[in-house]
Amino acid sequence: MKSGNKEIVNPPKLANTCYSLLSPNYGISIAAVYNAHDDKIESVNGAGGVSPENDPDGHIRLLEAKYAYAWYESQTKDVFQ
């Protein structure tokens, strides 16, 4: 990837996370990371993933729910302020 005649040292990365709330304190997510090129966007192998299936004490699901609420709050503030 180039900017003018110079090679870009650290090309842009894009990250995407989708949160779903199954109940107020039970969240899950899926995430991915992408490399942005001049002519295409491609996923980064091994980056991202989904919420783990097993969460015996519910700690991860609670954290995912908190992340979902925090994401919503930050996006709402960005849009309406």
Side-chain angles (χ1 to χ4, degrees):
M1 183 177 250
K2 290 186 176 187
S3 176
N5 291 332
K6 297 181 181 179
E7 192 72 26
I8 294 177
V9 177
N10 189 13
K13 300 272 192 261
L14 306 171
N16 181 50
T17 304
C18 180
Y19 295 101
S20 295
L21 288 171
L22 304 174
S23 74
N25 293 317
Y26 193 99
I28 58 174
S29 68
I30 184 169
V33 179
Y34 303 92
N35 286 316
H37 300 282
D38 288 335
D39 59 344
K40 64 183 175 181
I41 296 173
E42 63 185 8
S43 62
V44 175
N45 290 334
V50 299
S51 300
E53 283 187 48
N54 295 321
D55 184 22
D57 65 359
H59 178 75
I60 295 170
R61 300 291 180 257
L62 179 58
L63 280 176
E64 297 271 29
K66 289 180 179 182
Y67 297 153
Y69 288 116
W71 175 90
Y72 180 81
E73 183 178 338
S74 72
Q75 293 299 307
T76 303
K77 283 182 180 177
D78 283 350
V79 170
F80 295 109
Q81 286 184 350

